[in-house]
Amino acid sequence: MGMKYCAAYLMAVLAGNESPGAADVQKILESVEAEYDASIAEKLISELEGKTVHEVIAAGKEKLKGFGGGGGGGAGIAAAGGGAAAGGAAPEAKKEEKKVVEEEEEEEDMDFD
């Protein structure tokens, strides 16, 4: 199921329609000239029938608690590894960083009292 169907459903709910139907989803998707497949929309509507969006979101949050916080620590390691692989680019970056620091210090010394 494409996310555009879920997004269209949620847009209809935000607009005040507590239980949108397939026609509501179709109207939203066609307003942005997106492709529409009635079978996908009907499946979404049938799965959400009798539920409020708030209940579905709350249940999803409970499921996600089991995944932990993550923190994204792996990206820093990958970036460090990529910098080391580049070789000659690292010293140039240090020189540029030094120039930026010096410029900032000059601005701090100005008194406009």
Side-chain angles (χ1 to χ4, degrees):
M1 175 182 317
M3 288 299 293
K4 65 183 175 184
Y5 294 92
C6 298
Y9 186 90
L10 290 172
M11 282 186 217
V13 171
L14 286 172
N17 187 349
E18 287 294 320
S19 56
D24 299 315
V25 172
Q26 180 179 8
K27 183 177 178 182
I28 292 169
L29 290 177
E30 288 178 349
S31 72
V32 294
E33 299 178 0
E35 293 181 18
Y36 174 77
D37 185 351
S39 64
I40 295 174
E42 290 294 333
K43 182 179 179 190
L44 173 68
I45 300 302
S46 68
E47 288 179 7
L48 294 174
E49 190 174 346
K51 301 175 186 176
T52 66
V53 171
H54 305 291
E55 292 171 351
V56 174
I57 292 172
K61 283 185 177 180
E62 287 298 318
K63 290 179 184 177
L64 289 175
K65 283 183 181 178
F67 285 104
I77 294 169
E92 292 176 16
K94 289 181 183 177
K95 289 179 185 176
E96 291 177 25
E97 185 178 322
K98 204 177 228 183
K99 290 178 185 176
V100 172
V101 172
E102 289 174 7
E103 290 175 12
E104 290 175 5
E105 289 175 1
E106 290 174 8
E107 292 174 0
E108 292 175 5
D109 291 331
M110 296 181 196
D111 278 334
F112 294 106
D113 293 336

